[in-house]
Amino acid sequence: MAASSSSFFSEFGLLLYLEELNKEELNKFKLLLKNETVEPGHCQIPWTEVKKANREDLANLMNKYYPGEQAWSVALKIFGKMNLKDLCEKAKAEISLTAQTTGPEDTKARQAQGDQEAVLGDGTEYRIQIKEKFCIMRDKNPLLGESEDFHHGITQEGRELLEHLFDVDVKTGEQPQTVVLQGIAGVGKTTLVRNAMLDWAEGNLYQQKFKYIFYLSAREINQLKEKSFVQLISKNWPRREGPIERIMSQPGSLLFIIDSFDELNFAFEEPEFALCNNRTQEHPVSFLMSSLLRKVMLPESSLLVTTRLTAYKRLKHLLKSHRCVQLVGLSEDARKEYIYQFFEDKKWAIQAFSSLRNNETLFNMCQVPLMCRVICACLKQQMEKGADVSLTCQTTTALFTCLFTPVDRSYPSLTDQIQLKNLCHLAAKGIWTMTYVFYRESLRKHGLTKSDVSVFLDMNILQKDSEYENCYVFTHLHVQEYFAAMFYTLKGKWGTRDHSFQSFEDLKLLLESKAYEDTHLMQMKCFLFGLLNEDRVIQLEKTFYCTMSLGLKWELLQWIETLGNSEYSPSQLRFLELFYYLYETQDEAFVSQAMSCFQKIDVDICGKIHLLVSSFCLKHSQCLQTIKLTVTVVFEKMLNSRPPDETWQIDHDHITHCWQDLCSVLHTNEDLRELDLFHNNLDELAMKILCQELRHPNCKLRKLLLRFVSFPDGCKDILSALTQNQNLILLDLKGSDVGDNGVKSLCEALKRPECKLQNLRLESCNLTTVCCLSISKALITNQSLIFLNLSTNNLLDIGVELLSEALRHPMCYLQRLSIERCGLTVAGCEDLSSALISNKRLTHLSLADNVLGDDGVKLISDALKHPRCTLRSLVLRRCYFTSLSSKYLSASLLLNKSLTHLDLGSNCLKDDGVKLMCDVFRHPSCNLQDLGLMGCALTSACCLAIASAILNNSNLRILDLGNNNLQDDGVKILCEALRHPSCNIERLGLEYCGLTSLCCQDLAATLSSNQRLTKINLTRNILGCEGIKKLCEVLQSPGCKLQILGLCKEAFDKEGQKLLKAVGVSNPHLIIKSTCNDQNEEDGSWWQHF
């Protein structure tokens, strides 16, 4: 009877439980079953059978491959991994009920098994030991007296995160063996994993995933030398559990938590072959940790590693594969709730919250529970003294200075500044080397005695670790960064301690560090600039009985001047990073001096803090000529955020105030000539503020670029600025939501005599035929507008016909017109052709990317023949014509005396078409100076004709043959002509022409002998190392007059790159770059940058 009952439960009970799973859960169950560890002597169920099995088939497969109660044991384990608690509880109850009906033989067998487990230990004693240890840890007072309730609340929030760390990835079907839990300092990583240990020991976490969990603390490991792996993990292992080696036979059920990887003092440079998998042999502890992390030791086990963000890069290269989870700390709402709870007085709470909210850096620091409490305590103390906390929260340096300035203004225990300087040296070295835990020996080496350490413990600067002997940390990373920065500002000698100069002590090294490469140095650098503030210096000198150097300012100014004089483009100078540092000083005179080093700036403003620091610095700049700003996210958040509440209002007021400060530069800086605002989604108020400054009588701005900007008021405010600011001559609205209605309003402004606009760019502004009549009328009325770009708008033939009417009018003063990609066809070319004959002022016309075809080109060519046509530059790139058009263009070029630039690129002229045109190019009456034949399906067959044209046309200066299959033979022919004394070519384009090293000798000879060639583009050709050697020999010689070489350095091997680097040293006047687009509107490429 008993046997049949057990059999029924095994065969039918499993099926009943599988029936409880939905489709998604069943698939997840199958994936976990696929990865299940197989007991010795058993086979894995083939995945092909598992994958196609329905619920009944799956139950049968499991009973077949896992006989007896093993099938149920596996199923129960998987239910646990899937976090199906209700199903697990129900199953356990049913198993218990089934066990009560078993016969005497089954009972004896179970009893024998239980006796064996009791002898070896079932883990109960270990759990009890862990529970006791981690309960003591949890109940100890946190740093700086952190609230116990607050502390436990954070742990509770992280519980759900812990439960799902090792879940199967739905996308890949893989279950991670290694999980990295990363986060900023103090965010609660250690608290979370210690609570994981406690929850597991209490039976609340990972019960079906891991039979044993071991906790390895970096601080403890650092103090160990040589151990076996068994010794390393045996510290908390009770004797009653039997030998620890027995649990190693099932490594898949083991989890090792490595806490604070960033604190490990190991280089982790061991080669993999030197690592160990022997669990009983003694090794340096660094080898054991490296072996565990790199999956040499117990590769089937699971790892949970905590680390700070700054050390993740070092950890990442040790791990074969891993899941990365970031712990973000307190949410915005949680921070607000805590601040309001901390201050009993609601007015104080509002004031504190508003002040912190207005400094995004400080508010982000409050993500860390400890820092949130410390900052609130500091602000409360300031309020009690009657101080203005908005000034305290203005910078991080101001707040931290208040934090370490006691009520009585000094620390009696500090006898001289040698103690302080030794502490600051320790802090600085730690920040540079990313060392955050210090041991007694390290303190002694830095000249810190036991009594010195006691002083800094009393001051809450240092904290002694209560669990690990001789182990000290700064109370928080930011505290260490603050005192590290102070190291560079302290005057005086080192005292009796031996001190040899160390590289990190060089201030220049710190200044030249880059935030994106050395993120761990950025906050220290901010504090350094903040400590230049005279008020801060006075506070600290009184508090610490020290002397600080304000002479450091001139060193920093010298560094900033070097940046201003460098050859880097504004986008490469990382202005935002510099603005962070300058803002921290709150020294207006210093910032003004620093900003006077720059004439152009380029900044991406992506958050409130970016807007805050940028507005402060720009407000105090007097010498800037060009400002380029990309403002994203800031105003979008305001426009798309939840319904206005108190927080929204604080943010809105702060952003508006900062934007007002930033825009004020338009009238305070009379040298400012150009403002570029890209990708800005300004709200109505922000746009009004900008336009108000544009209308200011002191605004001397000449160029305004508002690309990809939304206009909430439909351009009205901008239009008023056009009529009131007579200095403004260029307006670029490319990609902005202007539309037909906006252009109609714009044209009304253009008609007014007060509007002095000369250059209007409306590319990609969603315009149609509808607005063309308004533009046409404005062109007749306005006598100042000479440049107009209407490209990439759906104007069509009808729209171009309306524009042609204006061009034919004698009062139209337009000189340059670009109507690329406007839907123009042959139907609109007749009117345009007529306009080209009538208009005596139009000199530049771009018709690129319109389907003109051969018939359309014929009409344009007819106009070029007319003696009254004054066109100097014509762009017909990608206009879909063939070699037939060569005949029309050739005839017109013989008669036209004004055309000097012709771009025929990306049309299928082929060799025959170009040969025909070369007959004209050779003619003495051809005045062409700039010819574009890029991508015209040419081969080496036409190179002889082109070479002849080069030799016979003394006017030709620029020739672009890129993206044609000329190959080595074709270029060799061209080089012969280029070496001839009568050749006047100055710029040559040979990009992507199928060139190899075989033509490099000819190119080298050309560069050596041709004294006029200043620019050549050879990008996207496979020149090889041999080819580049030949070129480099010439490029280094004084006879080479080349100024710009188009070549991608990264395309060459190390030897080739080394050769090119040597060229840069020996020939500093030569610029080698991977893009060779001309940026000068006055040359032939004007249309590309119009």
Side-chain angles (χ1 to χ4, degrees), residues 1041-1058:
K1041 302 301 180 184
L1042 202 66
Q1043 296 173 11
I1044 298 174
L1045 171 62
L1047 212 58
C1048 183
K1049 296 178 185 177
E1050 292 75 20
F1052 296 94
D1053 59 17
K1054 287 184 180 179
E1055 187 182 352
Q1057 291 183 35
K1058 189 178 178 181

Side-chain angles (χ1 to χ4, degrees), residues 709-761:
V709 173
S710 62
F711 295 102
D713 63 346
C715 303
K716 290 177 185 175
D717 288 315
I718 288 291
L719 300 182
S720 66
L722 285 179
T723 54
Q724 293 186 44
N725 186 334
Q726 297 192 11
N727 295 307
L728 203 61
I729 60 169
L730 183 150
L731 177 63
D732 185 348
L733 300 174
K734 179 179 178 178
S736 298
D737 59 346
V738 180
D740 292 327
N741 290 333
V743 168
K744 286 178 182 177
S745 302
L746 182 60
C747 289
E748 290 303 314
L750 288 171
K751 289 177 187 177
R752 296 180 61 174
E754 298 91 351
C755 179
K756 303 300 180 185
L757 205 64
Q758 296 177 13
N759 189 328
L760 178 60
R761 306 177 182 184

Side-chain angles (χ1 to χ4, degrees), residues 296-346:
V296 174
M297 181 74 73
L298 297 176
E300 298 89 356
S301 65
S302 296
L303 299 177
L304 174 56
V305 187
T306 72
T307 185
R308 291 181 184 178
L309 298 171
T310 50
Y312 176 64
K313 188 176 179 182
R314 188 163 65 106
L315 170 62
K316 188 178 178 182
H317 88 273
L318 297 174
L319 308 176
K320 286 184 168 60
S321 64
H322 64 283
R323 171 180 289 170
C324 193
V325 178
Q326 189 163 338
L327 196 60
V328 294
L330 293 172
S331 65
E332 285 192 17
D333 289 339
R335 278 173 268 170
K336 181 179 179 180
E337 183 183 351
Y338 180 76
I339 293 166
Y340 273 73
Q341 285 178 357
F342 186 91
F343 292 93
E344 295 174 5
D345 187 320
K346 190 177 179 183

Side-chain angles (χ1 to χ4, degrees), residues 273-434:
F273 69 81
L275 299 178
C276 55
N277 58 10
N278 188 314
R279 301 188 289 267
T280 57
Q281 187 179 345
E282 289 194 1
H283 290 278
V285 175
S286 60
F287 270 57
L288 296 179
M289 295 307 298
S290 191
S291 301
L292 184 62
L293 286 164
R294 292 158 77 175
K295 289 291 179 185
V296 174
M297 181 74 73
L298 297 176
E300 298 89 356
S301 65
S302 296
L303 299 177
L304 174 56
V305 187
T306 72
T307 185
R308 291 181 184 178
L309 298 171
T310 50
Y312 176 64
K313 188 176 179 182
R314 188 163 65 106
L315 170 62
K316 188 178 178 182
H317 88 273
L318 297 174
L319 308 176
K320 286 184 168 60
S321 64
H322 64 283
R323 171 180 289 170
C324 193
V325 178
Q326 189 163 338
L327 196 60
V328 294
L330 293 172
S331 65
E332 285 192 17
D333 289 339
R335 278 173 268 170
K336 181 179 179 180
E337 183 183 351
Y338 180 76
I339 293 166
Y340 273 73
Q341 285 178 357
F342 186 91
F343 292 93
E344 295 174 5
D345 187 320
K346 190 177 179 183
K347 287 183 180 178
W348 282 18
I350 292 170
Q351 195 178 353
F353 179 71
S354 176
S355 299
L356 288 170
R357 183 82 188 175
N358 287 342
N359 186 327
E360 201 170 2
T361 303
L362 277 178
F363 193 59
N364 286 342
M365 284 183 180
C366 290
Q367 286 178 296
V368 175
L370 166 65
M371 287 309 302
C372 192
R373 184 191 180 283
V374 169
I375 288 171
C376 285
C378 179
L379 295 183
K380 187 176 182 181
Q381 187 184 59
Q382 294 299 305
M383 288 176 179
E384 288 169 348
K385 292 196 299 185
D388 183 354
V389 293
S390 65
L391 294 177
T392 307
C393 293
Q394 205 165 34
T395 66
T396 53
T397 313
L399 187 135
F400 274 78
T401 302
C402 289
L403 189 63
F404 293 105
T405 306
V407 178
D408 59 4
R409 307 289 294 177
S410 64
Y411 287 107
S413 305
L414 283 172
T415 54
D416 57 46
Q417 77 170 37
I418 293 176
Q419 295 166 289
L420 179 63
K421 192 156 189 179
N422 288 343
L423 176 81
C424 292
H425 188 268
L426 175 80
K429 186 174 182 180
I431 293 299
W432 273 95
T433 60
M434 289 192 277

Side-chain angles (χ1 to χ4, degrees), residues 744-888:
K744 286 178 182 177
S745 302
L746 182 60
C747 289
E748 290 303 314
L750 288 171
K751 289 177 187 177
R752 296 180 61 174
E754 298 91 351
C755 179
K756 303 300 180 185
L757 205 64
Q758 296 177 13
N759 189 328
L760 178 60
R761 306 177 182 184
L762 297 171
E763 184 180 353
S764 304
C765 285
N766 199 25
L767 310 183
T768 69
T769 304
V770 174
C771 69
C772 289
L773 184 60
S774 300
I775 296 172
S776 182
K777 289 178 180 178
L779 289 176
I780 295 169
T781 309
N782 185 299
Q783 296 185 12
S784 62
L785 193 69
I786 54 176
F787 290 11
L788 179 63
N789 187 349
L790 297 171
S791 298
T792 321
N793 289 294
N794 199 29
L795 305 183
L796 305 179
D797 292 322
I798 299 172
V800 174
E801 286 171 14
L802 290 169
L803 293 175
S804 297
E805 284 183 30
L807 292 172
R808 285 194 294 268
H809 199 281
M811 296 304 292
C812 176
Y813 285 80
L814 203 66
Q815 295 177 13
R816 297 188 178 196
L817 175 63
S818 180
I819 46 175
E820 305 168 31
R821 291 182 296 277
C822 284
L824 176 65
T825 69
V826 62
C829 286
E830 192 168 346
D831 284 281
L832 191 57
S833 177
S834 169
L836 291 177
I837 296 170
S838 305
N839 189 303
K840 295 182 180 180
R841 297 186 178 93
L842 193 70
T843 58
H844 293 63
L845 176 65
S846 177
L847 302 175
D849 290 288
N850 288 297
V851 186
L852 306 186
D854 292 318
D855 291 339
V857 172
K858 185 178 186 305
L859 291 169
I860 300 297
S861 298
D862 289 342
L864 290 174
K865 290 178 188 176
H866 204 283
R868 281 161 56 190
C869 177
T870 57
L871 210 61
R872 297 208 311 260
S873 179
L874 177 63
V875 179
L876 296 174
R877 182 173 287 222
R878 224 173 349 265
C879 284
Y880 301 91
F881 54 85
T882 67
S883 56
L884 182 62
S885 292
S886 300
K887 180 181 176 183
Y888 309 139

Side-chain angles (χ1 to χ4, degrees), residues 543-651:
T543 299
F544 290 103
Y545 299 113
C546 62
T547 306
M548 298 175 70
S549 172
L550 280 172
L552 200 63
K553 280 186 179 181
W554 309 116
E555 288 186 60
L556 299 185
L557 271 177
Q558 198 172 18
W559 169 68
I560 293 169
E561 281 177 18
T562 305
L563 282 181
N565 294 329
S566 69
E567 294 181 359
Y568 291 116
S569 66
S571 60
Q572 294 174 306
L573 282 175
R574 310 185 314 277
F575 278 105
L576 197 57
E577 186 183 335
L578 178 63
F579 288 175
Y580 266 99
Y581 305 141
L582 293 177
Y583 173 81
E584 199 71 21
T585 67
Q586 287 299 301
D587 185 332
E588 295 180 7
F590 178 77
V591 173
S592 184
Q593 277 184 287
M595 291 302 296
S596 68
C597 300
F598 305 101
Q599 292 186 336
K600 294 181 179 180
I601 66 114
D602 187 343
V603 181
D604 278 352
I605 297 177
C606 304
K608 284 197 306 176
I609 187 65
H610 299 163
L611 182 60
L612 173 67
V613 299
S614 299
S615 63
F616 179 79
C617 294
L618 292 177
K619 186 172 68 171
H620 296 105
S621 62
Q622 301 298 321
C623 301
L624 284 175
Q625 294 180 13
T626 301
I627 297 176
K628 181 179 177 181
L629 299 175
T630 301
V631 185
T632 55
V633 182
V634 180
F635 291 101
E636 281 93 330
K637 280 187 176 179
M638 296 306 305
L639 294 167
N640 302 323
S641 63
R642 56 193 173 188
D645 59 6
E646 183 185 13
T647 304
W648 184 92
Q649 194 60 51
I650 290 169
D651 287 348

